[in-house]
Amino acid sequence: MSEQQPPSSDPDAGHRRGGDANRFAGTKDPDLRSRDVTEGADRAPHRSMFRAMGFDDDDLSSPLVGVPNPAADITPCNVHLDDVANAAINGIDAAGGMPIEFGTVTISDAISMGTEGMKASLVSREVIADSVELVSFGERMDALVTVAGCDKNLPGMMMAAIRTDLPSVFLYGGSIMPGHHEGRDVTIVQVFEGVGAYAEGDMSGDELDELERHACPGAGSCGGMFTANTMASISEALGLAPLGSASAPAEDPERYDVAERAGELVLDCIEHDRRPSDILSRKSFENAIAAQTAMGGSTNAVLHLLALAAEADVDLAIEDFDAISKRTPKIANLQPGGSRVMNDLHEIGGVPVVIRRLLDAGLFHGDAMTVTGRTVAEELAELEAQGVLPDDDAIEADFLYTVDEPKEDEGAIKVLDGNLAPDGAVLKVTGDDAFYHEGPARVFENEEDAMAYVQSGRIESGDVIVIRNEGPVGGPGMREMLGVTAAVVGAGHEEDVALLTDGRFSGGTRGPMIGHIAPEAAVGGPIGLIEDGDEITVDIPNRELFVDLADEELKKRAEGWEPPAPQYEGGVFAKYARDFSSAAIGAVTNPRLTPDE
C-alpha cells in the first residue's frame, strides 16, 4: 500500500518522488488549461502558492491532474480511500503528472437507510458532480482520476468526468469481503432482512446481535451486486475504467496496483488527448445496460445511466433498458438474488469474464472504445495475452452461467408501464420471471408509516404496499428503501406481497419491488390517486402495472387532487426539490438537461 509523503518545508526540495519529470517539461500545448495558472511572469503569485505546498519547477511544467477523493469515516465504503487515492497519486507522479488531491462529500446509504437522512443520498450524487466540476474548472486542471466508494460517489464522479470532458480515469475503491456467520457468508443485506425476521419472531435478539457483529468485517463497499458494484462493473462496460479494474477487494493489495495504474493511465490520456467524449457512444451505453442486466445489477443503474447519457448527449430512454434486458440473458447469480459476492467474481477473472461471454454471443459491442485507447475486443485480447483473463472453458463457477444455458433467459431489469406508471417503473427480478400479482393497495404517504405497518405484523399475503411522495421532488431525494423491503422479505413475504413506490430501492433489495414510478405523486402522477383497497395488478411477463379503475374515475380523482405541501421551506432540500427532473430521465438537476415543465 502506498502512502503520500508530506511536502518538505524546503521550497526547493520539490514534490516529486522520482517520476518522469521531463515527460511534459516545456510543453506549450494550449490544451493544457493549467498553463493559465503556471506559466508567465504574471503567474508568479500563483506559482508561489503551489511552491508553498512543496511543488517544484518540474511539477509546474507538468499537467495538473486532479484526484477528487470522497474519503470519510462516515462509511466503510470510503474509510480507506485516502490510501487508494495515494496509490493513484504515486502513479500520476511516476508518469510525469502533477497530482492535486481535493475532497468532496459522501453519504452512507446503509447508515442513512430507513431514516429521513436517506433523502440526502441522491442529492449527494449531484453535489459530487457539481463540486468536482467546480474545483477542476476553478483550479484549471488538465485531467482527473476520480475516486469513488459508496453508491452515489460512482455516478457522481462519472457525471463530473463527462461534464468537464477532461481526460479522465475512473477509479473504484473496491468492495468489502463477506462476513461469516453460522457457517455462511453474509452481507449487510442479511442484517436488514434480519430486522424483519426479528419483528416476526423468527429470529431472536441475540441472533440478530451476532449477525450484526459479523456481517461487515472491514473496509469496502457492500459486497454483492448492489449499487456500488453494479456501477463499478458498468464503469468498465462504458469504457471509463480499464477492463478488470472493478472487482479487486478494497483491502487486497491488488486494489492499490489498480489505483497506481489508473494514475499512470491518465497521463497517457492527456498525451493522446483522450476524453470521455471520445469514449462514450450509444454503443457504450448499450454495453453498460447489457452488463447490468446480465449480472443482475441494481435498479439504481437505470437512474444513473440515464443521467450519464444525458450528460454525454447520448440518446437513451428508459424503454431501452427493457429492450436490451429482453435479449440479454442473466448469466451471473450474485447477491441479492444469488449467494455470491464480487470477490467470487474477481477470483475467476472479474467483469471481463461476463463481458467476453456477452461479446462472443453477439450481445456486446466489441468495437466500443475504452479509456486505454483500445476497443473492448482489443482490451479483452490484451488481458488474455497477459494471462490475466483465463480461458473461458477453464472457468468453473457455480454462479456463472453461459449464454446458451443461462440462469434466466432474460436479464434482471424490467420496465413496466400502464395506468399507474405512464412514464415507466423499474423492477429487478430476483425470483420468478413470470411473477403475476393481484391484490389490494395498502397506501402510505411515506416510508416510515409503511415500515411501521410491516413491523406491526399486520402485513397480509396478497397485499400491495404503496409508498408515495418519495420521488425526486416529493421526497425530496428519492429515498432508497432497503429497510422496508428487507423487512417484508424477512417477514416471509418475498413471493406474496408486492411493493410499489415513486422512490428507489437499494441494490440489495430483492422480491417484487417496483420503484421509480413516474410521474411521481408530488407532481400529480397516478400513484398519488390510489386509495386503500384499490385492486392493483403487477404483470411482469406483459410488463404491466395498473390499478383496476376506469379512466373516468382516475380523472375525477385527479380533479380533486392537490399537491402536497413542500417538506422543506429552505436549504439544500428545498433547492433540489425545485431542480430535480423525473426519474424517467435520470432525476438530473443540470439545467441544460432538464426539460421545461
Side-chain angles (χ1 to χ4, degrees):
M1 188 180 302
S2 304
E3 293 185 2
Q4 184 180 12
Q5 300 300 316
S8 168
S9 59
D10 179 357
D12 296 319
H15 188 75
R16 290 192 174 281
R17 297 175 299 282
D20 183 2
N22 295 317
R23 182 176 183 179
F24 290 90
T27 298
K28 300 295 183 182
D29 187 344
D31 290 333
L32 289 181
R33 293 196 305 183
S34 60
R35 302 305 188 214
D36 291 354
V37 294
T38 62
E39 196 169 86
D42 58 341
R43 295 301 184 248
H46 307 67
R47 292 191 296 272
S48 186
M49 296 290 284
F50 281 120
R51 293 186 195 283
M53 295 180 284
F55 293 103
D56 63 13
D57 289 344
D58 283 334
D59 294 305
L60 293 167
S61 66
S62 303
L64 196 161
V65 181
V67 184
N69 176 14
D73 292 340
I74 291 170
T75 170
C77 309
N78 291 46
V79 71
H80 65 304
L81 291 187
D82 278 338
D83 293 331
V84 174
N86 281 335
I89 286 168
N90 288 340
I92 294 165
D93 188 66
M98 177 178 168
I100 300 284
E101 183 180 9
F102 61 94
T104 187
V105 303
T106 191
I107 299 294
S108 172
D109 285 9
I111 293 175
S112 63
M113 192 77 67
T115 75
E116 187 179 17
M118 188 66 202
K119 295 181 179 185
S121 173
L122 189 60
V123 173
S124 77
R125 182 191 75 175
E126 304 300 298
V127 173
I128 290 167
D130 291 350
S131 64
V132 175
E133 178 189 8
L134 279 172
V135 175
S136 62
F137 179 85
E139 303 305 314
R140 315 313 290 156
M141 292 176 179
D142 300 309
L144 296 169
V145 175
T146 55
V147 182
C150 200
D151 293 3
K152 305 310 169 295
N153 299 177
L154 289 86
M157 290 294 183
M158 286 187 265
M159 287 167 68
I162 295 168
R163 192 184 299 169
T164 62
D165 203 31
L166 294 174
S168 300
V169 179
F170 177 79
L171 175 58
Y172 180 42
S175 61
I176 194 172
M177 294 293 287
H180 300 282
H181 177 63
E182 295 184 343
R184 64 188 177 112
D185 288 348
V186 292
T187 69
I188 191 67
V189 171
Q190 279 73 51
V191 186
F192 276 104
E193 291 178 0
V195 173
Y198 173 75
E200 284 291 304
D202 295 331
M203 179 179 285
S204 71
D206 288 343
E207 288 174 314
L208 181 60
D209 181 71
E210 282 299 304
L211 179 59
E212 167 196 330
R213 293 175 187 276
H214 290 91
C216 298
S221 302
C222 297
M225 194 48 59
F226 312 145
T227 301
N229 280 324
T230 298
M231 294 307 299
S233 302
I234 280 173
S235 73
E236 291 189 30
L238 281 172
L240 294 176
L243 290 189
S245 64
S247 59
E251 296 185 306
D252 192 299
E254 191 174 344
R255 171 53 50 198
Y256 300 93
D257 294 337
V258 167
E260 191 158 348
R261 290 196 298 271
E264 295 166 355
L265 177 58
V266 78
L267 271 296
D268 184 71
C269 292
I270 297 170
E271 193 166 17
H272 294 90
D273 196 28
R274 190 181 309 124
R275 302 168 183 267
S277 58
D278 300 313
I279 297 166
L280 296 175
S281 65
R282 168 76 185 193
K283 289 181 178 180
S284 306
F285 283 92
E286 290 184 355
N287 283 348
I289 297 170
Q292 173 199 10
T293 58
M295 299 174 75
S298 169
T299 54
N300 280 313
V302 177
L303 196 74
H304 300 325
L305 280 170
L306 287 169
L308 292 172
E311 295 283 0
D313 289 325
V314 170
D315 185 22
L316 192 71
I318 194 169
E319 294 81 10
D320 293 319
F321 290 83
D322 197 62
I324 293 171
S325 188
K326 281 181 178 178
R327 69 180 186 237
T328 308
K330 181 183 177 184
I331 62 173
N333 192 31
L334 300 164
Q335 289 194 26
S339 61
R340 300 302 190 95
V341 295
M342 189 66 149
N343 184 58
D344 294 304
L345 183 63
H346 179 66
E347 290 181 348
I348 62 168
V351 178
V353 171
V354 176
I355 290 176
R356 182 173 58 188
R357 291 191 177 184
L358 295 176
L359 178 63
D360 289 347
L363 298 170
F364 211 85
H365 300 290
D367 58 345
M369 186 54 63
T370 77
V371 68
T372 64
R374 294 184 289 267
T375 66
V376 170
E378 290 169 341
E379 274 294 281
L380 288 172
E382 181 71 15
L383 292 177
E384 290 171 344
Q386 295 173 359
V388 176
L389 184 59
D391 292 338
D392 197 57
D393 57 8
I395 296 172
E396 296 183 7
D398 61 4
F399 61 92
L400 188 67
Y401 297 75
T402 65
V403 172
D404 292 335
E405 297 181 0
K407 173 65 176 172
E408 303 290 346
D409 290 336
E410 294 185 356
I413 297 298
K414 315 292 183 185
V415 176
L416 314 182
D417 61 18
N419 67 355
L420 258 181
D423 293 342
V426 180
L427 163 73
K428 179 171 76 172
V429 173
T430 59
D432 184 4
D433 219 11
F435 182 83
Y436 181 93
H437 183 92
E438 293 180 357
R442 309 297 183 202
V443 181
F444 303 94
E445 302 301 330
N446 55 59
E447 179 186 4
E448 287 83 358
D449 290 349
M451 186 67 166
Y453 173 77
V454 173
Q455 290 189 308
S456 72
R458 288 180 290 160
I459 189 171
E460 297 180 7
S461 177
D463 277 354
V464 179
I465 298 172
V466 178
I467 307 176
R468 62 191 180 198
N469 296 311
E470 292 284 4
V473 174
M478 208 177 179
R479 281 194 286 186
E480 289 182 3
M481 305 198 188
L482 179 58
V484 67
T485 61
V488 170
V489 172
H493 292 288
E494 180 180 356
E495 302 295 338
D496 61 8
V497 168
L499 191 152
L500 318 180
T501 183
D502 49 11
R504 296 181 294 128
F505 298 123
S506 162
T509 290
R510 60 190 175 104
M513 314 295 179
I514 296 112
H516 304 206
I517 291 177
E520 62 175 290
V523 299
I527 188 175
L529 308 178
I530 299 172
E531 297 175 358
D532 272 328
D534 287 343
E535 198 73 13
I536 291 176
T537 298
V538 178
D539 183 349
I540 293 177
N542 292 310
R543 306 294 199 269
E544 292 181 338
L545 178 64
F546 58 89
V547 58
D548 187 18
L549 294 173
D551 292 345
E552 292 78 9
E553 175 62 19
L554 283 172
K555 183 178 180 180
K556 178 181 176 182
R557 292 186 185 182
E559 289 171 352
W561 176 84
E562 293 184 2
Q567 294 289 313
Y568 304 91
E569 296 292 339
V572 67
F573 293 107
K575 178 165 62 176
Y576 280 93
R578 177 198 67 196
D579 291 344
F580 271 125
S581 68
S582 169
I585 60 172
V588 293
T589 59
N590 185 339
R592 180 178 67 83
L593 310 176
T594 307
D596 294 332
E597 298 296 336

